[in-house]
Amino acid sequence: MANVLWLQGGACSGNTMSFLNAEEPTVVELVTDFGVNILWHPSIGLEIGHQVSDLLESIVAGKTQLDILVYEGSIVQGPNGTGTMNYFAERPMMDWIKDLSKVSGYVVAIGDCATWGGIPAVPPNPSESTGMQFLKKEKGGFLGADYVSKGGLPVINIPGCPAHPDWITQILVAISTGRIGDVLLDEFHRPKTFFTDFVQTGCPNAISFAQKVDGQFGKRGGCLFYEVGCRGPMTRASCNRILWNRQSSKTRANHPCLGCTEPGFPHNDLVKGSVFKTMKYLGFLPKSVPAGNTKAGYYARAGFEKAMGTLDKVIVGTRPQFESSK
């Protein structure tokens, strides 16, 4: 039996909605098959008012065991570091997180706001929001770079806007069954089992990417990286391997990947015109290039491949065309 407490800070509840739609395993299966005991959740918990604050105080005092602290949303530290912009159970939420993180077996941050600060942390960041252990790519966040839970791990980050539901439930299963030690974390504390492949892996437009064929938003054919801001080639996530609703993904529906599992999200700090548009130098050189490439190297190779593709079209267009036999 693993006791789980789920709290929300600066959040839209999108990750809760995602979590409740999990399929492998479902939320019900978490409880019935894997011994997860949800002490309280803001959307499905039965306790209200002082019942909740009494539970939190019992956990902090060590009377109620807390195996997994799940946190959704940014840590709101404003104004002026007081945290009073986000009050919960008669205290700033950040004060509860500070105390609860000291007694929890493991801490799991769900979604971009909890992992990197997300949209609330975009400058000028009036709420002084940050992630649990990161602010964008900078390690530290609210709990500090050196934080480790009682289980010996840093904050386990499951990013996404929202995070895929099965990423969430499978990590909770790994902890509750004592197998979290088999899960490797990357430099941003993401489980490698979900965040090693790129979104481009499994994308039906991958051939168009290789052939430098431009695509358009919502239309079949062509790659959305060149004009519509798709970040699939530099975003680590299993969206095209573990499909959403077991059916599809953004890129399979010809919607550009927004790179929401990377610590830079939202990219370009939501500068006007940057969300569904590839940002470029000199009007034709993409500012962001696929992971593992230098900009100079990618520009040179992409230019050569583009030229060869154009030449091939010209050659094919000049060849005599013959009707097939009937």
Side-chain angles (χ1 to χ4, degrees), residues 292-308:
N293 293 265
T294 63
K295 289 185 177 181
Y298 177 75
Y299 294 157
R301 189 178 75 253
F304 174 77
E305 292 172 347
K306 185 78 170 179
M308 291 301 294

Side-chain angles (χ1 to χ4, degrees), residues 59-245:
I59 293 172
V60 172
K63 297 178 181 178
T64 300
Q65 179 174 313
L66 178 58
D67 298 296
I68 309 171
L69 170 62
V70 175
Y71 189 73
E72 171 184 7
S74 66
I75 298 288
V76 177
Q77 302 177 103
N80 303 317
T82 63
T84 54
M85 291 178 73
N86 182 197
Y87 242 76
F88 179 74
E90 301 179 345
R91 298 178 68 194
M93 176 61 84
M94 71 176 197
D95 290 348
W96 282 118
I97 296 302
K98 183 181 297 182
D99 291 342
L100 292 166
S101 64
K102 295 176 182 177
V103 299
S104 181
Y106 297 93
V107 177
V108 181
I110 305 292
D112 288 313
C113 296
T115 52
W116 333 119
I119 291 175
V122 170
N125 191 7
S127 63
E128 301 172 30
S129 286
T130 186
M132 291 284 275
Q133 204 167 13
F134 282 86
L135 177 57
K136 296 288 188 178
K137 295 182 179 181
E138 184 179 350
K139 191 173 182 179
F142 176 68
L143 293 177
D146 298 327
Y147 170 79
V148 292
S149 63
K150 290 176 64 178
L153 290 181
V155 174
I156 300 169
N157 285 330
I158 306 180
C161 194
H164 192 293
D166 294 349
W167 301 344
I168 302 171
T169 55
Q170 289 180 32
I171 289 302
L172 294 182
V173 166
I175 297 174
S176 63
T177 58
R179 299 185 62 185
I180 192 61
D182 297 332
V183 177
L184 300 178
L185 304 180
D186 68 11
E187 68 271 29
F188 296 113
H189 303 176
R190 300 173 296 191
K192 287 187 176 182
T193 186
F194 303 127
F195 301 100
T196 295
D197 294 336
F198 292 97
V199 170
Q200 188 181 47
T201 304
C203 174
N205 296 329
I207 294 177
S208 295
F209 171 80
Q211 296 176 345
K212 307 298 178 289
V213 178
D214 297 340
Q216 297 182 32
F217 196 159
K219 294 185 178 181
R220 298 295 180 185
C223 178
L224 304 179
F225 169 74
Y226 302 105
E227 299 296 335
V228 200
C230 182
R231 302 188 66 86
M234 63 277 282
T235 298
R236 295 187 184 275
S238 53
C239 296
N240 280 312
R241 181 163 55 86
I242 304 176
L243 299 180
W244 289 76
N245 297 318

